[in-house]
Amino acid sequence: MVMEDTYKIIIADDHPLFRSALQQAVQTAVPDAQLLEAENVNDLLKLLDLEREPDLLLLDLKMPGANGFSAFTHLHGQYPELPIVVISASEEVSVVQKAKQLGATGFIPKSTPLQQLVAAIQHIIEGDDWFPEGISFSAQAEEDPLAERLASLTPQQYKVLVMLNEGLLNKQIAYELNVSEATIKAHVTAIFRKLNVKNRTQAVIALQQLELEPSPEDNEI
């Protein structure tokens, strides 16, 4: 990461209390940082479209529009130069390993004490990766064909896929996105082709394969 006078850091998390904790940690680690916030994936995509070349994204794995690595995979594919640090209450070894495998710059558990959170952000700003201690990673990253296909979706196609996952019909999606139903049908066709699936059910299953199981901690924040 190139050192600059002012860093632009995005915090994407739907829990106000934890966003406040992240703000405090970032402001302590990088006092002059410009902080931007998003509380759902749709707002995050809009923010990334407006804000060119942010220096760092702190991304919650579970917020509206995302449950697991689907949003991360899409964002990493669309913004390959943007360092993304996963923030999650799901602290299982397999989740941390998956984040590393998919290209995360770091993984910060939500249970991390503030002082250690500050230190982690400082390490990342200085250009280092940061992951919890005591976790082993394979020397060679494994390719994930599904993640690669999901990453190939455009931001609008990803939004449509998320809405398909929510059970919305084409006309409902068209209304929500303020476009024609024909445009949504074209997006759905492109999604099927890129994900190598034949119908809505298969597309939704593909998205859900990158989701996480609920964590007890999710209800404690």
Side-chain angles (χ1 to χ4, degrees):
M1 193 181 302
V2 178
M3 295 296 290
E4 298 179 350
D5 292 334
T6 303
Y7 287 96
K8 185 182 295 183
I9 298 175
I10 300 175
I11 297 173
D13 192 298
D14 64 324
H15 293 105
L17 290 178
F18 196 76
R19 279 206 311 275
S20 296
L22 284 175
Q23 290 172 10
Q24 183 179 352
V26 170
Q27 289 169 343
T28 302
V30 195
D32 297 327
Q34 177 186 356
L35 293 181
L36 303 168
E37 296 183 26
E39 58 183 25
N40 58 63
V41 172
N42 193 38
D43 287 350
L44 176 58
L45 290 172
K46 292 178 182 177
L47 186 59
L48 287 169
D49 188 49
L50 293 172
E51 298 291 339
R52 298 300 179 185
E53 299 183 357
D55 296 290
L56 181 65
L57 169 60
L58 302 175
L59 177 68
D60 184 11
L61 286 184
K62 293 184 180 181
M63 60 180 175
N67 175 26
F69 288 103
S70 57
F72 171 88
T73 300
H74 173 69
L75 292 165
H76 187 53
Q78 293 294 309
Y79 305 93
E81 301 303 318
L82 173 61
I84 304 178
V85 175
V86 169
I87 308 291
S88 182
S90 299
E91 304 177 15
E92 296 85 352
V93 171
S94 60
V95 176
V96 180
Q97 291 173 330
K98 185 70 171 180
K100 176 74 169 179
Q101 174 195 337
L102 292 175
T105 299
F107 187 104
I108 300 177
K110 286 195 171 184
S111 62
T112 303
L114 181 60
Q115 186 175 358
Q116 189 177 5
L117 185 57
V118 171
I121 293 172
Q122 288 174 332
H123 275 288
I124 292 163
I125 285 294
E126 291 170 1
D128 298 324
D129 291 350
W130 193 94
F131 292 87
E133 296 181 355
I135 297 179
S136 60
F137 300 99
S138 58
Q140 185 174 1
E142 300 176 8
E143 294 184 0
D144 188 327
L146 174 58
E148 292 177 1
R149 291 197 293 268
L150 192 62
S152 72
L153 300 179
T154 66
Q156 193 78 337
Q157 289 166 357
Y158 180 78
K159 291 178 187 177
V160 171
L161 178 58
V162 169
M163 291 180 178
L164 291 178
N165 187 43
E166 294 170 351
L168 299 184
L169 302 175
N170 285 356
K171 62 182 180 181
Q172 294 172 310
I173 298 174
Y175 176 80
E176 291 292 333
L177 298 181
N178 195 29
V179 298
S180 69
E181 190 172 346
T183 297
I184 298 304
K185 289 180 179 179
H187 282 321
V188 171
T189 298
I191 290 167
F192 290 174
R193 174 175 52 81
K194 290 184 176 181
L195 295 184
N196 193 26
V197 299
K198 296 181 179 179
N199 53 48
R200 286 170 172 254
T201 300
Q202 292 179 350
V204 168
I205 290 173
L207 180 70
Q208 291 175 348
Q209 286 178 16
L210 288 172
E211 291 187 352
L212 300 176
E213 294 298 322
S215 297
E217 293 90 340
D218 291 340
N219 297 322
E220 296 177 1
I221 295 176

